[in-house]
Amino acid sequence: MAAGDSFYITTPIFYVNDVPHIGHAYTEVASDVLARWHRQRGDDTWLLTGTDEHGQKILRTAVANDTSPQAWADTLVESAWKPLLATIDIHNDDFIRTTDERHEKAVTIFLQKLYDDGHIYSGEYEGYYCVGCEEYKQLDDLMETPDGDYAGQLVCKIHGRPIEILKEKNYFFRMSAFQQQLLDLYANQPDFVQPASVRNEIVSFVSAGLNDLSISRSSFDWGIKVPWDDSHVVYVWFDALLNYVTAVGYGVDDAQFQRRWPAVHIVGKDIARFHAVIWPAMLMAAGLEVPRAVFGHGWLLVGGEKMSKSKLTGIAPNEITDTFGSDAFRYYFLSAITFGQDGSFSWEDLSARYQAELANGFGNLASRVIAMVTRYFDGAIPVAEPDAAILAVAKKATDAANRAIDAFAINEALSATWQLVDALNGYITEREPWALAKDPADRGKLEVVLATAVRGLGTLAVLLSPVLTKATEKLWASLGGTGAIDAQPIDRAWEWTGGPSVTPLDGTLFPRIEAEAPAE
Ligand code: MSP
């Protein structure tokens, strides 16, 4: 991508039936890092997140809590979902709620267009429904449980809860008509669905044949009314997927829509099918461009299972950030897990990586270098030609990290950057600036070592700014960087020359954690 291009990236919108856990936060952080990276490259970037508030799941939760679904959603959004963004330091450009008037209005416009163009018909539906997934299920998606509370019943493989049998008059979207167009899309744009494991699953799913999709419900009324029949509300997924276009002006602000759309969607692999099959079919029917890409990331596992509140394995993000801080949260999940694969969370692994990589690897490097410049040069950054080998590592790390981001390989971007952390630590150990400082005859050598080290730190501050937002801001101030750290061109991080002087760091970037981590 050329700098200045539009880069519109979205997170899934989150169900407000419960409070966030670290699985939700993981999706947010990954999307935020990609957005920050593109912003720092000068792209016309827009990060959208929000909440999914209609449907039976929310309605039932509200009723169980003796309140209305709107009041329930309002409370959860304000007390849990918006605060999550501050907890993990998300820089979103917009927050959409499916109960926003702008959304409801544009959904109505979209639906009416599909109806007028003959893509919708009324019919009879009979089938299995999982309220947890808010999805109609095929037998393949279900299993019989041998024991436990639901012994002998058919349960959803994802939620482990019994499904319901629905029989209703519904409106249907002629999704089957788009089978070939979808297969052509996957063939012509091989990176439309990523990673390959998710792509393969999607291609084989669509190759097996597509059914039409029931897109309305009449047995309850918590949803957007179908414009031509107000005894029906729009199926929650049909409503939810549209947030990606209603938030950027679909149907009401053409200039904004043209500027932003199409988007890159970051989603968990469990909801990739909705995004890579139903959603592009809906867009095709409306004559709109399909998304630029759908990336399905893996699950955070606890005890080998997908973490979830309903299975009581959920961990709240602030349980981690209260002790380790938001930078460590962001770094840990993105560096320890290959983006696109499942990963297990453990407190031990988090603590060990915090100590080894952030505190000892990066934080200590910054403290030592700044302290030495302060002590030996009174804070004035020595002016000397930096070491060519280290400079080459910095250039390689910058290029490799930027390439990795284009391939959604966030963990690779971090490991490429860590090559520079390790190279700088090795360089300092080998050159022993504290020994050079003892002999005035070595002054020139000392200047080169510290000029090189400071230059490397500047590169690291710029390259790590999308992930370690707070530590790099601190480091940048201490290095005397001009302008905001997140405005430094990230594709030229290695060119940073900095100076003229450092000021001592206010404490360390990653303090020692004395407190016991909460028990698992
Ligand atoms: N409301 C729908 C999405 C609609 S998008 C038009 C939804 N919401 S959700 O709150 O259940 O999930 C939101 C996201 O969190 C999904 O991408 C899901 O994959 C992700 N995660 C939920 N549990 C997770 C883990 N244990 N690990 C990683 N991500 C997980 O689905």
Side-chain angles (χ1 to χ4, degrees), residues 392-402 413 416-420 459 463:
V393 175
K395 170 144 185 19
K396 207 170 147 204
T398 303
D399 293 345
N402 276 284
T417 306
W418 239 256
Q419 301 279 321
L420 180 58
T459 300
L463 267 185

Side-chain angles (χ1 to χ4, degrees), residues 251-262:
V252 290
D253 181 348
D254 212 39
Q256 197 202 1
F257 188 66
Q258 294 307 327
R259 176 173 175 188
R260 302 287 173 212
W261 188 254

Side-chain angles (χ1 to χ4, degrees), residues 214-254:
S214 163
I215 56 153
S216 74
R217 304 290 303 277
S218 57
S219 53
F220 62 93
D221 67 354
W222 178 235
I224 300 176
K225 291 210 177 328
V226 168
W228 61 89
D229 181 349
D230 67 6
S231 66
H232 283 244
V233 292
V234 179
Y235 168 47
V236 61
W237 267 101
F238 205 84
D239 159 355
L241 288 162
L242 283 165
N243 91 88
Y244 302 129
V245 294
T246 64
V248 290
Y250 168 77
V252 290
D253 181 348
D254 212 39

Side-chain angles (χ1 to χ4, degrees), residues 12-15 21 23-24 26-27 52 237 240-241 243-244 267-268 270-271 275 297-300 306-307:
I13 49 172
F14 299 88
Y15 287 130
H21 58 58
H24 304 124
Y26 176 59
T27 310
D52 190 353
W237 267 101
L241 288 162
N243 91 88
Y244 302 129
V267 299
D270 49 327
I271 57 170
H275 287 80
H297 65 69
W299 287 339
L300 297 191
K306 176 175 180 245
M307 176 182 317

